[in-house]
Structure formats: C-alpha cells, structure tokens
Amino acid sequence: MIILSPSLLSVDFAHIADGIAELDRAKVPALHLDVMDGAFVPNISFGAPVIKCLRKETNMIFDVHLMIEEPDRYLEDFRKAGADWVTVHAESCKHLHRTVARIHELGMKAGVALNPATPVSVLDYVIDDLDMVLVMSVNPGFGGQSFIPSALRKVAEVRKMADDRGLELDIEVDGGVNLKNVGDVIEAGANVIVAGSAVFGGDAYENSCSFLKVFEKY
Ligand code: DX5
Ligand code: ZN
C-alpha cells in the first residue's frame, strides 16, 4: 500500500489546524513533520512543543523527520509530543545503531534518512533494524525545491538491498515530489510519499485527493 505523508512545512503557519483538517477530510493517513535546527540544515522550523499541540488536532500518523544535530537529546521529547515514526539522518548520528535502538525502546518506528550525496552502503549494517529508509530527493532544509533524478536509482538500490535480505521495509521519498513524477518514484520502489508544496501550494484537499487517486493504480 502506498502512503501519502504531506509535509506541513508548506502550510500557511497562521492556519495550521485548518490545513490539517483538509488532509483529514481527504483521508490522508500520515503527516510529515520537518524539524530543523538551523545547524544540521540552514533553516529553522519547529520542534516538539508545536507537535504536541498538533497532536490534539488529528489521529494521523505523525511522521517526524529530524533534521537536527545529535537527535538523541530530543527523542524522548518527540515521543511525549506524540510522534509515531521518527527518522534521523545517517549524517547527523555518531552512533546510528544506538540511536535506532533508542527510538525503538521508546516505542516508535525508526527510519534513517540519506542526503542526496550519501551512498546506500551506509545502511549495510543497520538496515535489518529499520522500519523505514527515507531517500532525500532534494538537499534538506527547504520546501519547494526541484527533484534530484539520481534519487530514483537510490530508491531502487535500497529496495533491492531490502528484498535481498527478505525485509519488509518502508521506503519514503522526500523532496520535489509532484503529480508528474510520483509514478516514477513509486515504480522505483518507494511506498511512502512526501509532498509539501505539491499539496499545500494550492487546495490541500484537492491535491491530496489527486495523489491518492494516482496511488490507486498501484
Ligand atoms: C526538505 C523537507 C521536505 C520538504 C518537502 O528539507 O524534508 O519534507 O518540506 O517539500 P517539497 O515537497 O515542497 O519539496
Ligand atoms: Zn522531510
């Protein structure tokens, strides 16, 4: 099953709850929450206190993407705030295996994200412990950037690595995904689709329905 996880980064922040209500109306299953610290990425977004407030607004899966240095310091806060899935970057964790174990210990699903220039080989000794791999198809930090085509090859490589080991791994693609390229992304092997500007750049209800309609074909 293909899961849509719209990125809240492109919502009108003066009306976040309205944006979430539109997604709920379209029966979107997950909400992608981009946490940025201004150090790992050149932008600052929001943290656990905001997520905690949003938790009261919806039952959607909270898919939290941590673009922060030393994420271990905050894992418990995100659990308390209501995160269901937590994804950390391979590039920001000194002890990635330990971080993944801690996410599981706290009762959340664990994902590892790879920046566009990071090879799939970094997953070799950790993929068996993961619920999800997030392939970045833009350099993290901002919404509305263009899709980097080499991400498709990377998705296929991760899917092959998972299949070769008999793993039922979720593969998420994040950055520059729109209605035109989402078919290629799914065909490469992804099953969790993030879309920020392609959902909130217009009517979030209509755009979500359009994505969900494409997913029905797979
Ligand atoms: C980028 C974020 C993405 C971003 C996606 O650093 O991780 O989730 O919001 O936005 P679009 O879909 O507009 O590229
Ligand atoms: Zn993201």
Side-chain angles (χ1 to χ4, degrees):
M1 208 184 75
I2 318 284
I3 294 174
L4 180 64
S5 189
S7 164
L8 202 64
L9 201 60
S10 295
V11 77
D12 173 356
F13 278 98
H15 304 280
I16 305 179
D18 296 345
I20 290 177
E22 290 298 285
L23 303 183
D24 265 330
R25 192 156 74 88
K27 299 195 167 51
V28 168
L31 184 64
H32 186 83
L33 296 153
D34 288 302
V35 177
M36 303 180 179
D37 66 353
F40 179 66
V41 289
N43 196 8
I44 298 173
S45 59
F46 51 80
V50 171
I51 293 175
K52 191 174 179 191
C53 292
L54 300 178
R55 190 66 284 183
K56 298 181 202 112
E57 300 292 321
T58 177
N59 289 320
M60 267 185 282
I61 294 164
F62 272 10
D63 166 25
V64 178
H65 178 191
L66 297 182
M67 286 162 276
I68 63 177
E69 298 285 2
E70 295 181 54
D72 303 53
R73 295 175 294 163
Y74 301 102
L75 295 176
E76 201 172 337
D77 291 352
F78 285 107
R79 169 77 270 193
K80 286 185 186 151
D84 298 296
W85 304 348
V86 165
T87 296
V88 294
H89 270 260
E91 304 86 1
S92 77
C93 296
K94 281 201 191 100
H95 304 285
L96 184 58
H97 191 276
R98 177 185 286 151
T99 304
V100 167
R102 181 74 185 131
I103 294 170
H104 281 147
E105 219 173 78
L106 290 165
M108 300 179 285
K109 282 198 177 195
V112 167
L114 305 181
N115 279 339
T118 303
V120 171
S121 56
V122 302
L123 298 171
D124 196 6
Y125 291 92
V126 76
I127 194 169
D128 299 80
D129 298 308
L130 299 180
D131 302 291
M132 184 158 82
V133 169
L134 188 168
V135 174
M136 287 303 306
S137 40
V138 297
N139 287 294
F142 304 93
Q145 304 179 80
S146 301
F147 186 87
I148 297 171
S150 62
L152 292 177
R153 181 161 64 88
K154 193 183 283 184
V155 170
E157 266 184 55
V158 176
R159 181 55 75 202
K160 185 173 184 310
M161 191 186 261
D163 287 350
D164 287 350
R165 300 177 193 214
L167 304 173
E168 266 189 50
L169 183 78
D170 285 321
I171 301 181
E172 179 169 45
V173 173
D174 183 9
V177 178
N178 54 46
L179 284 165
K180 284 191 196 124
N181 61 20
V182 69
D184 296 339
V185 170
I186 294 168
E187 274 160 31
N191 68 309
V192 182
I193 306 296
V194 178
S197 44
V199 168
F200 287 108
D203 184 319
Y205 172 78
E206 290 293 336
N207 290 335
S208 298
C209 290
S210 302
F211 272 101
L212 296 174
K213 207 164 183 162
V214 173
F215 295 177
E216 282 170 16
K217 293 187 214 146
Y218 294 91

